[in-house]
Amino acid sequence: MDQLSPGARPSRRRLLQGAAVTAAAAALGPLTAGRAAAASYPATHWIPASTSNYTVSNRPSSYPLNYVVIHVTQETFQDAMRIFQDPSRKVSAHYMVASGDGYIGQFVREKDIAWHAGNWDYNTRSIGIEHEGWVDQPSWFTDVMYQQSAKLTAAVCDRYGIPKTRTHILGHVEVPGTDHTDPGPYWDWTKYLRLVNNA
């Protein structure tokens, strides 16, 4: 794929319509019964990461899910996607949200352990959501990105009974032992938590 300039729409979007939407729905599996007020998952598109970049598991049976970890890619969507698909990189996230239109790619099934937090204990107990952009460029944090990400986080929290609070929805920087700074000082946590709780 050709490298895109920042803010350009990835060309693969048209290719992912139809069958990919169906595959993404299948990858999520059935939602937990008895949660009538649960938030709905926004449309996601299945873009599998390399199997060398995550651990197959059976969560939440194998590990409880207690956290959602918020990341910023420090890359364009296209470049981050290529990293997740490169078997030599040893990194992945469950989801990534595009800046320009809130498009959501799913790279790892929620039952599996994405290698995103830099801490094995947190990897086993969390869902990782990347956001296209750079921590020092707040223009990447668009309203549509916040809205789509908040819908996704709310649905994940509802599905697994994760409290929609700042002690359970973390920035990568807050994971013990990490050397990352994302999502950075320009990420609007007040806005984000409000959107999550209103989804």
Side-chain angles (χ1 to χ4, degrees), residues 27 34 124 146 149 154 158 178 182:
T124 63
Y146 277 118
S149 176
D158 286 345
T178 187
D182 56 309

Side-chain angles (χ1 to χ4, degrees), residues 135-148:
V135 296
D136 60 348
Q137 297 178 31
S139 61
W140 285 88
F141 305 150
T142 61
D143 286 340
V144 68
M145 172 187 274
Y146 277 118
Q147 291 160 3
Q148 289 297 97

Side-chain angles (χ1 to χ4, degrees), residues 67-133:
Y67 302 104
V68 175
V69 179
I70 302 300
H71 301 267
V72 173
T73 59
Q74 297 295 103
E75 303 281 351
T76 64
F77 191 110
Q78 285 288 82
D79 287 345
M81 178 182 71
R82 283 193 283 266
I83 289 169
F84 293 165
Q85 293 176 329
D86 179 346
S88 71
R89 298 304 289 266
K90 308 301 182 197
V91 66
S92 61
H94 292 93
Y95 297 97
M96 182 165 41
V97 185
S99 173
D101 58 5
Y103 173 94
I104 301 172
Q106 182 180 6
F107 297 85
V108 177
R109 289 175 172 83
E110 291 178 1
K111 73 175 191 68
D112 296 329
I113 302 166
W115 300 345
H116 63 97
N119 175 316
W120 177 248
D121 183 49
Y122 276 74
N123 280 344
T124 63
R125 297 187 294 131
S126 65
I127 299 293
I129 304 176
E130 287 279 3
H131 297 80
E132 180 184 27

Side-chain angles (χ1 to χ4, degrees), residues 8-9 35 49 51 62 65 73 80-82 87 99 107 114 117 127 136 138 141 144 162-163 167 170 181 186:
R9 293 182 74 156
R35 296 196 181 173
T51 56
S62 53
L65 283 160
T73 59
M81 178 182 71
R82 283 193 283 266
S99 173
F107 297 85
I127 299 293
D136 60 348
F141 305 150
V144 68
I162 300 170
T167 55
L170 307 173
T181 62
Y186 297 111

